[in-house]
Amino acid sequence: MNAIISASDLASGLAGPNPPVLLDVRWQLTAAKASGEPPFDGRVAYEAGHLPGAVYVDLDRELASAPGAGGRHPLPDLERFGAAMRRAGVSPRRPVVVYDGGQGWAAARAWWLLRWAGHPDVRVLDGGLPAWEGPLEQTVPVPAEGDFTPEPGAGLLDADAAAELARSGVLLDARAGERYRGEVEPIDPVAGHIPGAVSAPTTENVGPDGRFLPAEELRERFKGLGVSEGSRVGVYCGSGVSAAHQVLALAIAGLPAELYVGSWSEWSSDPDRPVAVGPDPQ
């Protein structure tokens, strides 16, 4: 099953006999500006116009727990996550399509969580909302309650497992190159990367239109980063959001990968963990 869906295929699916549940996960990593302008509010954007029938899901409150020792976006409480999915109408027997404002990070986080929690059929709208050419609506739907119950599986790394994988397999750092090299760090307490990790900015998974590169191009990209058939691969970023996008890109390429959800925000909060700087993984 492909992990992404085009806008045209989504339109066809919505008109079919078993239309997917639509989840709107618009989110941005922003802060209030000096001018007093408030930070981005995904719910406000959703209420201004969303795909017909889509239900809004709050990444910070429903796809993550509160920031803390586990990072800025730790795994959500499973009961809270399951309740949010059921409220949105999610059931194991219906496909789910998630989308965001176009960056793809938030949608990928929802995709990864649902897949990790056992849902069999989840896809991301390739290109997000900007790719949709149909009408939008402002009506907030109240779907029938779903019956999805999270049953977590494999594919999750903690800090120790990520450190080990950086030595025995391939650990990809999905952040911008300058953050990996330790030249800048706008958010977390320490600049640099996990020793042994390879720089693999998420932005290089997509084209200028924000849509994923073809599977063969993605396979070549990851091959150049040391990933091959049979490689054990892990991914981290700042807080486990853009790294989910990297896991999604790897899935498109047919390469399974594990996610270190705590990511750099967890790793860098512990002064006893080693930090590497510069372009060299070590």
Side-chain angles (χ1 to χ4, degrees):
M1 183 190 71
N2 201 346
I4 56 175
I5 186 171
S6 68
S8 59
D9 285 347
L10 175 57
S12 298
L14 290 172
N18 188 31
V21 173
L22 282 178
L23 304 181
D24 184 310
V25 200
R26 273 178 277 182
W27 171 88
Q28 291 179 13
L29 182 60
T30 57
K33 299 180 180 179
S35 62
E37 182 181 339
F40 176 81
D41 189 323
R43 184 173 293 278
V44 170
Y46 165 81
E47 291 175 351
H50 52 266
L51 268 62
V55 176
Y56 178 70
V57 175
D58 189 312
L59 185 148
D60 291 317
R61 294 176 176 82
E62 296 172 324
L63 303 183
S65 295
R72 284 184 278 108
H73 288 104
L75 283 176
D77 173 82
L78 283 181
E79 289 189 10
R80 184 181 180 92
F81 171 63
M85 295 300 98
R86 291 189 292 274
R87 170 188 60 81
V90 174
S91 296
R93 296 171 301 283
R94 285 187 65 189
V96 177
V97 172
V98 292
Y99 71 91
D100 58 24
Q103 188 178 40
W105 294 3
R109 171 75 175 216
W111 167 84
W112 181 85
L113 268 172
L114 279 164
R115 294 289 292 155
W116 171 73
H119 197 287
D121 189 351
V122 190
R123 286 176 287 178
V124 169
L125 175 58
D126 195 17
L129 186 63
W132 179 255
E133 297 180 352
L136 300 179
E137 68 178 23
Q138 295 178 318
T139 302
V140 176
V142 181
E145 183 87 359
D147 60 0
F148 175 71
T149 299
E151 296 181 0
L156 179 65
L157 298 173
D158 60 14
D160 290 341
E164 191 279 328
L165 185 53
R167 297 187 296 269
S168 63
V170 182
L171 182 65
L172 301 178
D173 184 318
R175 298 172 300 159
E178 58 268 24
R179 290 184 70 191
Y180 169 88
R181 294 188 296 272
E183 296 165 3
V184 298
E185 183 44 66
I187 306 171
D188 295 313
V190 179
H193 60 268
I194 296 174
V198 177
S199 180
T202 292
T203 51
E204 296 179 16
N205 295 327
V206 299
D209 59 359
R211 302 183 193 189
F212 281 96
L213 299 175
E216 185 55 41
E217 290 186 32
L218 288 171
R219 277 192 289 273
E220 286 300 311
R221 161 169 158 72
F222 292 120
K223 181 179 178 181
L225 295 169
V227 179
S228 59
E229 295 277 349
S231 296
R232 187 181 173 204
V233 185
V235 187
Y236 75 95
C237 58
S239 65
V241 178
S242 66
H245 189 274
Q246 190 95 287
V247 174
L248 176 57
L250 284 154
I252 295 168
L255 301 166
E258 299 167 273
L259 178 65
Y260 173 25
V261 173
S263 285
W264 188 248
S265 58
E266 179 189 39
W267 183 276
S268 62
S269 68
D270 185 344
D272 292 332
R273 291 195 183 106
V275 172
V277 296
D280 190 297
Q282 303 299 329

